[in-house]
Amino acid sequence: MGRLSTLFGPERVAVIGASESEGSVGRAITENLLASFDGEVLAVNPNAEEVLGLTCYDGIGDVDSPGTVDVAVVVVPPGIAVDAIRQSGEVGIENVVVITAGFGETGSDGAARERELREVAEEHDLNLVGPNSLGVMSTPRGLNATFGNEMATEGDVSFMSQSGAFVTAVLDWAAERDVGFKDIVSVGNKTVLDEGDFIAEWGEDPETDVILGYLEDIDDGEQFIRTAREVTQDTPIVLVKSGRTDAGASAAASHTGAMAGSERAYEAGLEQAGTLRVESVQELFDYAQILSGQPLPDGEEIAIVTNAGGPGVMTTDAVGDSDLSLAEFTDETFEELRETMPEAANIYNPVDIIGDAPAERFETALETVLADDNVSMAVVVACPTAVLSFEELADVVVEAQQESGLPVATTLMGGKSVGAGREILSEAGIPQYFDPARAVGSLDALTEYRNISEREFEDPATFDVDRERAQEILDEAARRDTNRLGVEAMDLLDAYGIPTPQGDVVDSPGDAEAVAEEIGEEVVMKIVSPDILHKSDIGGVEVGVPPAEVRDTFEDLVVRARNYQQDATILGVQVQEMVDLDAGTETILGMNRDPQFGPLLLFGLGGIFVEVLEDTTVRVAPVSEPEASAMLDEIESAPLLRGARGRDPVDEAALVETVQRLSQLVTDFPAIVELDINPLVATPDGATAVDLRLTLDQEEL
Amino acid sequence: MGRLSTLFGPERVAVIGASESEGSVGRAITENLLASFDGEVLAVNPNAEEVLGLTCYDGIGDVDSPGTVDVAVVVVPPGIAVDAIRQSGEVGIENVVVITAGFGETGSDGAARERELREVAEEHDLNLVGPNSLGVMSTPRGLNATFGNEMATEGDVSFMSQSGAFVTAVLDWAAERDVGFKDIVSVGNKTVLDEGDFIAEWGEDPETDVILGYLEDIDDGEQFIRTAREVTQDTPIVLVKSGRTDAGASAAASHTGAMAGSERAYEAGLEQAGTLRVESVQELFDYAQILSGQPLPDGEEIAIVTNAGGPGVMTTDAVGDSDLSLAEFTDETFEELRETMPEAANIYNPVDIIGDAPAERFETALETVLADDNVSMAVVVACPTAVLSFEELADVVVEAQQESGLPVATTLMGGKSVGAGREILSEAGIPQYFDPARAVGSLDALTEYRNISEREFEDPATFDVDRERAQEILDEAARRDTNRLGVEAMDLLDAYGIPTPQGDVVDSPGDAEAVAEEIGEEVVMKIVSPDILHKSDIGGVEVGVPPAEVRDTFEDLVVRARNYQQDATILGVQVQEMVDLDAGTETILGMNRDPQFGPLLLFGLGGIFVEVLEDTTVRVAPVSEPEASAMLDEIESAPLLRGARGRDPVDEAALVETVQRLSQLVTDFPAIVELDINPLVATPDGATAVDLRLTLDQEEL
């Protein structure tokens, strides 16, 4: 059991602010607790003697053995809530649920109060829910410490929500259906306990089979990923993360930073965390239902058994839209179906056992396909006919599913006729929809979770790098008091083993010549100045300079820079080996730092691919080798790295290693808030960083 | 009224094959007709005296005034069905519904029978439904000429289905809900009447407000597009066209033909026809509901009114996913809301009137935003609270909607509490869902239909072309008995005014020199032979040939061709002006002929864009100027035509004209079954077809 086990499974709960006043939150909570909680309820209110039959205490310190109270539910006004919570901590109460609103969500006074609340909670090491929470529920003990109208029925799904109203909506909706819950928490302002804490708790809770969440933000993305990866090995997490469509996030332009916006970080982070992210409330509960009711499939192959051709085609379309594939039956299965099905039946998948099929024929067909080793799951699609009882059908489906141990979903295409069939299936945990797309979509989600649960999260590789040299380069920048670095910082990449063209930044014509002679062929020369962003525009770049002209070119570049801006800081001139861009494929590798998830790596092909087609992919760093490798796979233009149209395939291993080395660099140095290697030229023999720009946050150095 | 008015609104219906035999189709139909039809039912069966109280006639000719029977429903065995239908035609019956199966769907005997059926129907000009149909329903007269279990309730939606089972499923489902229908037809094998006929009929039917269809194929795509364009000006058509995901259709490779597969034709054709194509049964009925219940919006701007922040954010996400946009309120609206809403409310869109809002506050807020000129529609999102009655809320929403005349959808986020509110909204035609994504999705579909209904379908332009010359070129190919043409047919493009490089195909060194001299600069020379597909590989192409070397090069090319294949047919050598590919953007313009929709045009950027990124778009020809123009807009790489990354924008008008001219060419000559202009080089000054391949169907010449 996790550290929040007494929050969700308390013996004694005290309501601080209990009340009899009609319509008050203090009354609603006290009533809800008295209605079904099988532990002790205590009332605290200095202005009352008795509340709803409970003796009322003046303060939490006044109850018997206050240290054995498991949960204090706080509903007093914000002005006195912090004190009440401090007292709870002082007497040794571990869990506090703060219903009271009027904290960070209400301006500067509230924000100050919330800081105070956090300090109190830290001082007493409180497990604090809220503030501004609807409360907490847990069905096994009948705990309803909320001010909502409904109590959840028992189930194996635990649910957290950043919207209290959504909790009331879900409970109201669930009351009409067979949807049960283990724990429910309205997380409120998440001052102390946040989504990471709850998934950690439920990950250890044997009574929670599925975790659902409605979130508007994630406080600590890095910690969330770490925790969720662990949890999702055994317990699926299905999330609505709202605020997806922030216009800004995807209105990407050519700039790396703009493209690696916050929604992209959530998308990448939630995927790396192993969560199933859904876009609608319907999917949230569809997925919860199948994940809690059905076993995981051992593959992607689905069999369709139907009594109607048209709906069979619709279901096949839905399979085509999913990551599932139609199972190819073994010869034994075909033989069996040929023997047992009428001649007019179609024994190929989708199996159409035709309109005159009674439940028994469904039974035979379903058992036959589920026994096939090539079948990992099945969907039953039935239209109402005179000879088919949906109730009998439900019975045979339940039996076949349970015998086979494979997941099954159903589409009983009717309303009136479905009748009792619906309940039989629901009780057995078998999903039932009118629309085949939803049945198949649910099985698809189940399969996606199977893949997540089997995923092995590799640790990011740690390369042998020269961290001290990198630190020196950054410190040097800090001494120059500059936040924007360019090619003069190429050594940073070199220190982390990322190949750069031969060359150096020099500050005299003589040194320039020496570098050029070492290179031994024509070179590229660029003025290096933090004040000159567009070097080419002012004649600050010379390409194909023969060694003999290097001295003169040095002088020319400096003169042009001075002409452009008299007082420009000139750090020197870069003398660099020529990189034949035509011989390779230009890629771009960048990073910007997301406020929630930290360093976000971006990879794509350069030029039109990033600027026009916006064909890029992102990952939260640090990335493991498989994650870096997946980035290469994900871009649409990946075939261009792999020999499309007669090109030589590039050295993918080198690219993957470069991604990992950059991952290590930006993880090691939080001071680097933005970085672009553009282009990173990939050739059949390696990958070379040709240009660099980065932005520092001096305070992090 | 359309020509099928007596099929759906008959006075007299005869059942040929009426029966009392328990469980027979003949009995089911007769019973269904007797149950609710307010006209006369006649029974025909030579083996019975009476059926279910009806006098039984030996043959259709034996009933009183058989010519005044409006519909004959045929349920006799396939062996005698055609005769029965012939007799019906002979006595002057216009409408026949053939329930009998055992025609084209059952092998060669059945196919022969179906041909016979078609001939009989043509001879007597019968409106024939089926065969292999579940039957026909029409609620105003209580007509149930089906063998299903349910009769539809009255409504304004007409529904056609290529699956009889799906009709029974929908009726069973609708019986539990408030979903009504005008006409329903199970189209069966569509031997005579097909989807085009039914949409034409319902387009003229004042009692049909929305047309729904489940189709597995469309018989005559061109006619369907023509009819649907007319109909959808006034009546929306919502379709499930199944078989979308045929693996082959979208597994596109570099070849134009492969990419312009049949599913792409359906996608383009159904869009050009003005239909709303949906992918799931849920969408089919969601869209039907809002289209039948709500007025069309006058814009895309939506206002959200909610009592809960979280669900408000979810709804905003759904708007972000749609083509709708959040309305920006006028100052008057803000003022009004500021005055009437509590201070803690959020008066910006989404308008959050907070958790203590009773129905009256919803009323005020909703009326205020609906009165704003910047608002075209609204969605109300409500979570259950102690102070809100969903029933009262439903009342105020209905009133506000009706007063404003703008469309409204609702998300009452609950189950139990929604109660009577659901019925009030349903009766007023206002959609109600738990999931905000469905409410917004429905309003989005409504808006999409508004755009369709306002779309003005321009006629395709007719250019002044040299059709005779084109005919000669094709005839010439027919004389040579060849189906595959290449550059030797460039004149075909020329004849239709599509610019080609200067040059000609010649058959002697002397002529080659003459052409080159006329061009007056270096030329490209290519061997022209239907037997040599990959000219470059055998040295059959020479680029940059100076006029002086043209004679020798001619000889060289012919020798190389002979060395490659002694008996190759050599049509000559093409001598062509050099086109500077770097100065333009390579595009590809192709056509292949779809069995249902006819000529399908394909456009995209050449090279990696078509081969690697599969970034192409298709349209059924003939295309109008706006349609041709839309093709340019639709590709992802469109910015590359428009000056992205410092390029000069190409002459889009020239490209659009080329698309239209090719459209005219392939429409004029059905013999051209496949054609590729690759590349079609677009420059700032025009578009030039540099290479051509086409395939002919000699039989069409």
Side-chain angles (χ1 to χ4, degrees), chain B residues 342-346 352 354:
Chain B
E343 211 186 332
N346 180 2
D352 182 356
I354 65 176

Side-chain angles (χ1 to χ4, degrees), chain B residues 365-379:
Chain B
L366 188 58
E367 282 176 357
T368 305
V369 298
L370 285 174
D372 188 316
D373 283 344
N374 293 348
V375 172
S376 305
M377 70 195 90
V379 58

Side-chain angles (χ1 to χ4, degrees), chain B residues 6 28 71 106 122 136 139 158 166 197 203 218 249 253 257 282 306 320 352 366 390 455 459 498 504 526 568 594 605:
Chain B
T6 53
V71 179
T106 54
E122 276 171 12
V136 169
T139 55
S158 287
F166 188 53
D197 299 298
I218 285 179
Q282 180 170 295
T306 182
D352 182 356
L366 188 58
F390 276 0
R455 184 158 66 160
D459 283 329
I498 296 173
D504 210 343
K526 294 179 191 167
D594 182 81
L605 262 60

Side-chain angles (χ1 to χ4, degrees), chain A residues 172 243-244 317 321 415-417, chain B residues 150 172 243-244 317 321 415 417:
Chain A
D172 192 90
R244 277 181 293 116
D317 272 344
D321 289 336
K416 228 176 81 167
S417 301
Chain B
E150 296 288 337
D172 193 271
R244 276 182 293 116
D317 272 344
D321 289 336
S417 301

Side-chain angles (χ1 to χ4, degrees), chain A residues 344-514:
Chain A
N346 179 3
I347 60 169
Y348 298 90
N349 204 4
V351 181
D352 181 357
I353 63 175
I354 66 175
D356 64 352
E360 298 79 52
R361 197 187 295 160
F362 269 100
E363 185 174 17
T364 309
L366 188 58
E367 282 177 359
T368 305
V369 299
L370 286 174
D372 188 316
D373 283 344
N374 294 348
V375 172
S376 305
M377 70 195 89
V379 59
V380 175
V381 181
C383 285
T385 69
V387 294
L388 180 66
S389 149
F390 276 1
E391 196 171 338
E392 282 171 37
L393 177 62
D395 281 330
V396 305
V397 169
V398 169
E399 208 182 309
Q401 188 277 312
Q402 285 170 354
E403 265 176 31
S404 72
L406 299 183
V408 173
T410 63
T411 293
L412 303 193
M413 281 199 130
K416 228 176 81 167
S417 301
V418 179
R422 191 174 296 149
E423 275 156 55
I424 294 167
L425 290 167
S426 168
E427 220 156 273
I430 296 177
Q432 197 295 100
Y433 303 108
F434 180 75
D435 190 338
R438 281 176 75 184
V440 172
S442 296
L443 285 166
D444 192 30
L446 193 69
T447 310
E448 192 186 341
Y449 175 64
R450 196 277 320 262
N451 294 337
I452 289 169
S453 71
E454 289 183 353
R455 182 157 69 161
E456 288 189 11
F457 291 105
E458 272 186 32
D459 284 329
T462 306
F463 296 93
D464 190 17
V465 297
D466 191 345
R467 186 168 175 161
E468 276 170 37
R469 195 161 133 237
Q471 184 72 57
E472 279 164 24
I473 294 166
L474 298 179
D475 289 345
E476 161 72 25
R479 271 193 299 278
R480 288 205 322 272
D481 195 27
T482 184
N483 288 330
R484 293 178 180 278
L485 303 184
V487 286
E488 72 275 17
M490 290 288 271
D491 277 359
L492 197 63
L493 301 180
D494 200 45
Y496 268 68
I498 295 172
T500 55
Q502 194 183 344
D504 210 345
V505 175
V506 293
D507 53 13
S508 76
D511 287 353
E513 193 175 52

